[in-house]
Amino acid sequence: MEMKKIAITGDPSFIYRHQDLWKVMSSYVEKIEIIPCNDTLLIKGKALYSKLSYAFSKKTLKPISFYKSSEAFVFKSKQIEQKIKKLKSPPDLVFHLYGMYSPFHHKSDIHYTMYLDYTMILGERNWPQWAPFTDYRERNKWLKLEQAAYERAHHLFSMSKQVKCSLVEDYGIPPEKISVVGVSGNYQEPYEGPKSFGSKQILFNGSEFARKGGDLVLEAFRKVRYVLPDTKLVIVGKDLKIDEEGVNNIGNVSSRSEMFNLFLNTDLVLAPARCDPFPLFVIEAMNYGIPCIVSANDGMPEIVDNEVNGIVINQYKSDTLATQIIRLLSDTSLLRVMSNKARDKVKTQLNWHSVAEKIFQSLSNSTNDKS
């Protein structure tokens, strides 16, 4: 399969988030064409679905999400399929982001791949709020559509080994059809500048406070302040109205330059999430040489190598987290060693050049295997 033109499909926010990947991929092919799904077309359908689901929600007391329904899966798959059919010239390959729908509702002669950060079964298992189905019938309809999308794909790319295991064990996808390629942070090239330590500033992404372990962070921070009273905690991502000594909740930070300054002035990043598929925030912190303390959940232990470039905590307790924070903030030489190791991993693995190389090598191998 000769690839000159690749179409990128997915939700607009996901496509924008991976814009640096498209720039790198453009060096492998003659043309990259972006085809986003238009969420505004779902508004009428969402209202209708809410009415139909009202009785179910009253009985089950479960949240209803039209965007995670079989109707939405089909609707968005058909929409992208029609957009692809209207192109003046068809792409050689469609590169689709995530598994919330497929780039084709029907079988197509055009090959497509999917780049996956999670599966619905993993979400159901690890964070049930991500699987808000009204009943088992609706759940099974979704899973049937999701599995068909994976089965019809030419190849699947997963960000983590955990996702590959789910695709094999939960969906029955042959392991040779799946390549683990990782992901990068919000940067095109790794940071090469200096990094200093000694600020005793901790950074935490609290955009989804409960899921990301915000309660554990606050509880541990209080214990840290008792031992190291000059320690500061900065919480970004959401305005949470937290009024505690030493805590600065600055809310959403949209400026890259502001985040750049925050990272450079931070000694330690905390990410003890209850569920987080493959957190880009941790990778971005490592890019700036910041050691991270993460939980052992999901893909986080695949990002952070315990006692090498950060810490992975297996016990989800505030005492365990506080002990590790105090240990690292009290030893700047250890922070510097971990910092250098973190930056090394970003340069060799967690960058878009490495991801793109793995993607196109896997495509080349899969094409040769089928020829």
Side-chain angles (χ1 to χ4, degrees), residues 353-369:
H353 292 281
S354 176
V355 173
E357 183 178 357
K358 291 175 183 176
I359 287 171
F360 282 95
Q361 184 61 53
S362 297
L363 286 173
S364 176
N365 292 340
S366 64
T367 299
N368 293 335
D369 290 343

Side-chain angles (χ1 to χ4, degrees), residues 117-118 130 160 162 211 275-279 297-300 303:
D117 70 334
Y118 226 43
W130 282 350
S160 66
Q162 179 200 33
R211 178 173 67 81
C275 174
D276 212 339
F278 215 74
N297 299 326
D298 295 312
M300 287 178 280
I303 302 173

Side-chain angles (χ1 to χ4, degrees), residues 1 63 67 71 92 99 110 130 133 139 146 157 160 167 182 263 286 289 298-299 304 320 334 337:
M1 178 176 61
Y67 294 97
E71 287 87 347
D92 299 304
I110 302 173
W130 282 350
F133 300 118
R139 171 190 180 271
E146 184 186 8
F157 299 106
S160 66
L167 290 168
F263 279 132
M286 292 172 65
D298 295 312
V304 174
T320 302
L334 178 58
V337 170

Side-chain angles (χ1 to χ4, degrees), residues 15-60:
I15 290 175
Y16 176 78
R17 188 185 303 171
H18 294 80
Q19 59 183 306
D20 291 328
L21 175 58
W22 318 141
K23 293 175 183 176
V24 177
M25 286 177 64
S26 65
S27 65
Y28 287 82
V29 294
E30 292 180 6
K31 186 175 183 181
I32 295 281
E33 185 148 3
I34 305 296
I35 307 177
C37 183
N38 188 354
D39 279 344
T40 59
L41 296 177
L42 289 173
I43 294 175
K44 291 183 180 180
K46 180 182 178 183
L48 174 61
Y49 185 78
S50 296
K51 290 179 182 179
L52 293 174
S53 302
Y54 182 72
F56 288 109
S57 66
K58 294 291 285 185
K59 290 178 182 179
T60 63

